[in-house]
């Protein structure tokens, strides 16, 4: 059984003032235990909304309009607050925010860790000062930090150290699924690489299932087993990360994203803009959301929303690249 199954998920934002935004649309995703999956897409494509929905951390004005998020077979969207708290321990995913967000600026690291451990303690467990320090030392060493960090406050730590502490906090309840939302975006390149190495090695050694959300294609391709590309709230491509660079078939949006980010191994780097404007999520448009920016688009692309179609290990939602609709066969197919 997959560890996570998302079925027909629709999430929108309904602010009191302002327009309704449809941020996640008809999403179906399935994750096997131990997989490391990357979710990549431009700003506003719905990545964080999805991460929050998976961990039941969405707050108003977000509304889950329909769908299910099944974690080990249980639809977590139907759990009560206390059932959810019980699931956090040893199980349910935790979102890891970038920067300072995950940490309380006025509490020392050991106090924050104690808060988390106490809030989710199980029968027979006692989290006194010495127990918290012992567990804290263990957790910090997992993220390659010295135990003296326990007595520090977040502002006394560098950005990279703060991110390591945030990872330690996320892992303190031994989750089986961890969502990392832009865990290294706020860091400089060298620190970013070293924090990513830690995440990769922890994922391998501890065996948890992980989702890495990033707008940087090169980070996702380097770290993960499988890459999902999101555009306007939908997954438009899903394929093994190691074949993305060599695969012939891609969603045109994936191709555009690949040209935006440098491959660190390439000799010559020519970065290009995607061009056009990102989609307006407040309006429901017929057809493919990427069509107005797509150089391959034909008539059918403006009329029918393409669904994900599998071709061996690759799934692409594109009329032109993997034609599915009867109409698509009638239109001239353009390939580069
Ligand atoms: P980024 O790469 O910038 O983090 P993202 O892919 O994580 O982007 P989301 O934050 O999920 O995207 O946002 C998806 C859409 O929902 C965007 O159009 C965004 O403006 C909108 N949105 C997000 N949060 C809210 C909110 N609290 N109220 C209204 N709209 C929101
Ligand atoms: Mg985000």
């Amino acid at each position: 059984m997959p560890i996570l199954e998302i079925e027909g998920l629709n999430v929108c934002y309904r602010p009191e003032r302002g327009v309704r935004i449809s941020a996640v649309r008809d999403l179906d995703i399935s994750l096997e235990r131990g997989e490391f999956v990357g979710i990549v897409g431009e700003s506003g494509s719905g990545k964080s909304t999805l991460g929050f929905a998976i961990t039941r951390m969405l707050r108003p004005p977000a509304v889950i309009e329909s769908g299910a998020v099944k974690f080990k077979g249980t639809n977590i969207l139907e759990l009560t607050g206390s059932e959810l708290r019980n699931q956090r321990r040893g199980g349910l995913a935790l979102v890891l925010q970038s920067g300072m967000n995950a940490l309380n600026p006025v509490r020392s690291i050991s106090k924050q860790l104690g808060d988390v451990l106490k809030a989710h303690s199980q029968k027979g467990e006692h989290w006194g000062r010495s127990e918290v320090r012992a567990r804290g030392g263990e957790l910090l060493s997992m993220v390659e930090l010295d135990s003296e960090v326990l007595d520090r406050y977040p502002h006394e730590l560098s950005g990279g150290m703060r991110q390591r502490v945030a990872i330690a906090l996320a892992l303190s309840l031994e989750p089986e699924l961890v969502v990392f939302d832009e865990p290294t975006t706020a860091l400089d390149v060298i620190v970013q690489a070293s924090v990513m190495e830690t995440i990769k090695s922890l994922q391998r050694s501890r065996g948890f299932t992980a989702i890495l959300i990033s707008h940087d294609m090169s980070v996702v391709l380097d770290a993960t087993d499988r890459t999902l590309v999101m555009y306007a709230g939908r997954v438009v491509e899903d394929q093994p990360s190691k074949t993305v660079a060599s695969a012939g078939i891609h969603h045109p949006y994936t191709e555009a994203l690949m040209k935006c980010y440098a491959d660190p191994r390439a000799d010559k780097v020519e970065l290009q803009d995607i061009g056009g404007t990102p989609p307006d999520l407040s309006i429901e448009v017929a057809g493919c959301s990427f069509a107005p920016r797509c150089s391959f688009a034909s008539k059918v692309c403006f009329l029918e929303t393409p669904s994900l179609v599998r071709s061996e290990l690759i799934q692409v939602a594109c009329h032109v690249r993997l034609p599915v609709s009867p109409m698509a066969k009638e239109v001239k197919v353009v390939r580069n």
Side-chain angles (χ1 to χ4, degrees):
M1 182 175 60
I3 189 165
L4 183 76
E5 289 166 286
I6 299 173
E7 294 168 356
L9 187 66
N10 280 283
V11 184
C12 73
Y13 290 93
R14 290 191 199 144
E16 272 178 35
R17 261 165 282 173
V19 288
R20 173 185 174 282
I21 286 184
S22 180
V24 167
R25 302 170 176 212
D26 304 323
L27 212 73
D28 294 300
I29 299 176
S30 172
L31 252 73
E32 294 301 326
R33 194 173 282 276
E35 257 191 315
F36 194 171
V37 172
I39 298 182
V40 67
E42 278 172 298
S43 182
S45 54
K47 307 180 298 295
S48 295
T49 305
L50 174 62
F52 284 121
I54 293 171
T55 51
R56 261 273 306 251
M57 288 170 86
L58 276 175
R59 297 288 172 263
V63 179
I64 296 185
E65 296 201 311
S66 59
V69 175
K70 291 185 187 161
F71 178 66
K72 296 195 283 185
T74 303
N75 184 3
I76 59 151
L77 303 182
E78 289 171 350
L79 296 181
T80 62
S82 66
E83 286 170 336
L84 193 66
R85 234 182 336 275
N86 290 338
Q87 283 248 351
R88 290 258 182 243
R89 182 68 191 255
L92 207 68
L94 287 162
V95 172
L96 197 61
Q97 291 277 20
S98 57
M100 283 285 273
N101 304 0
L103 302 176
N104 183 338
V106 296
R107 282 180 85 65
S108 70
I109 304 306
S110 69
K111 290 252 164 48
Q112 297 193 47
L113 191 62
D115 293 344
V116 175
L117 293 170
K118 282 173 204 161
H120 299 275
S121 72
Q122 286 173 335
K123 266 203 189 104
E125 270 182 2
H126 172 68
W127 291 110
R129 189 173 179 274
S130 60
E131 287 86 358
V132 169
R133 293 193 74 81
R135 178 79 176 122
E138 255 170 52
L139 286 162
L140 289 180
S141 92
M142 256 165 50
V143 293
E144 293 148 52
L145 289 178
D146 196 276
S147 59
E148 58 102 19
V149 168
L150 282 172
D151 299 315
R152 306 261 203 108
Y153 286 81
H155 72 268
E156 297 176 301
L157 304 175
S158 69
M161 287 167 92
R162 281 200 291 265
Q163 253 341 67
R164 288 175 186 280
V165 170
I167 295 167
L169 276 173
L171 298 184
S172 64
L173 301 175
E174 295 177 32
E176 289 181 43
L177 173 70
V178 187
V179 179
F180 296 94
D181 188 357
E182 306 273 7
T184 60
T185 303
L187 308 174
D188 69 49
V189 179
I190 308 275
V191 181
Q192 184 172 1
S194 99
V195 172
M196 269 322 300
E197 281 309 315
T198 303
I199 292 175
K200 280 173 5 191
S201 93
L202 281 170
Q203 193 272 335
R204 249 177 270 127
S205 63
R206 309 198 71 83
F208 53 79
T209 311
I211 296 177
L212 171 68
I213 292 173
S214 174
H215 58 273
D216 188 331
M217 189 82 172
S218 57
V219 170
V220 166
L221 293 187
D222 177 61
T224 64
D225 305 320
R226 200 174 130 202
T227 297
L228 305 184
V229 180
M230 267 184 93
Y231 188 79
R234 295 180 199 274
V235 170
V236 296
E237 179 160 339
D238 173 350
Q239 74 159 300
S241 303
K242 63 171 183 282
T243 62
V244 170
S246 58
I249 301 171
H250 280 305
H251 193 283
Y253 176 61
T254 311
E255 272 174 16
L257 266 187
M258 286 166 72
K259 288 179 187 150
C260 288
Y261 287 98
D263 177 351
R265 289 152 300 196
D267 309 336
K268 199 172 140 227
V269 179
E270 229 176 81
L271 299 184
Q272 290 176 20
D273 257 0
I274 293 188
T277 37
D280 180 351
L281 299 176
S282 65
I283 47 172
E284 296 295 329
V285 286
C288 171
S289 309
F290 190 60
R293 298 168 83 182
C294 180
S295 49
F296 302 100
S298 50
K299 195 172 145 203
V300 64
C301 305
F302 292 93
L303 298 174
E304 276 183 30
T305 307
S307 38
L308 275 174
V309 175
R310 182 175 287 282
S311 161
E312 295 176 14
L313 292 173
I314 303 174
Q315 292 196 82
V316 177
C318 175
H319 292 301
V320 177
R321 290 301 165 92
L322 287 175
V324 268
S325 121
M327 275 184 77
K329 290 188 187 117
E330 291 163 21
V331 298
K332 193 168 157 255
V333 174
V334 190
R335 290 184 196 280
N336 59 354

